[in-house]
Amino acid sequence: MSKICKIYDVLIIGAGAAGLFLAANLRGKSVAILEKNATPGKKILASGGGRCNVTNRRIDASNYLGDADFATNILKNLCFKDVLKFFGELKFNEQKQNQFFCESGAKDVLGVLLKRARQSGAHIFCGVCVKSARKILTDENGQILDVSPAQNCDKNLTDFETKFDQNEQNLNEIFEVIAENGDKFYAKNLVVASGGLSYKSLGASDIGYEIARSFGIKVIPPAPALVGFTVQKEEFWFKNLSGVCFPAEISVVCASKNSANREPKMPRKFADDILFTHKGISGPAVLNASLFWQKGLIAINFCPNFSIETAQKSKKQLSTVLSLPRR
């Protein structure tokens, strides 16, 4: 048996926005954050074009996939006003009446998060690439018991404890996190805030999914989201419209997974700007719609406010009546 020198109250994997914000609000507890990159918050610095769109006035569970009740419960405990209050020393510019960007840039947003996390006593360990996590048992002296309950994730801790004398008292269940270099960290509570798979160049990895699977948690295979609509090579005439931006409405229709005849659901509609690129269409409307697209139909209404009746009564040329850029 080996003895543990330090057991944290909370161990957080990932020094991004979620991990740092949590650490800043865990006052009075011993907290450690494990960050894969050499410095914390790389994705924060890249967000919002370097201005960090830190929060949104219109936050609703309907904008998230998964368990709606779970999302609702989270969102009701933290509104956008709470976030702005947390960053009270910074100034934010609200765009399109819902998106809050930091006027002085993402670097200052990260600075506040780091300052508050350290004020709460959190220790940040950078350059730590997590390999795995498991539950272990220790005795009252912090000695690790030799048998690991994580050898079979289908067995719970109670099954493991039966291997020990029933009279043995003060067994503690803790988490052991192992880094790729062999370093080990221990904590009473573990928070995985490693993010998703996007932006591998910023340090993203699948460690969060791997840890979830190791604890027997079902993982839904991730799909691309917040991505543009890309056309095929023969349709690259889109590049002639590159840079054109205007409001439109996108409808995403997906077949119901629960329907035997695969009848389409009611479409979800997204009204916002679209931006033509040399290989397709991007912009807020397309990026938001991409989250809900599941290889079904996408319809784009380029003139959502156009009325054919009004056009028929007008003596103007159609190109003038249409609310579209000249190109």
Side-chain angles (χ1 to χ4, degrees), residues 210-222:
E210 292 300 320
I211 291 175
R213 292 189 187 99
S214 72
F215 281 93
I217 299 172
K218 181 181 178 181
V219 176
I220 299 173

Side-chain angles (χ1 to χ4, degrees), residues 236-245 275-280 327:
F236 276 7
W237 53 264
F238 267 62
K239 67 182 180 181
N240 296 321
L241 296 173
S242 181
V244 173
C245 180
L275 170 68
F276 279 89
T277 69
H278 66 293
K279 291 185 179 180
R327 286 170 64 188

Side-chain angles (χ1 to χ4, degrees), residues 314-322 326:
S314 175
K315 295 182 180 180
K316 297 180 181 180
Q317 289 187 352
L318 185 59
S319 60
T320 304
V321 176
L322 290 173
R326 286 283 179 178

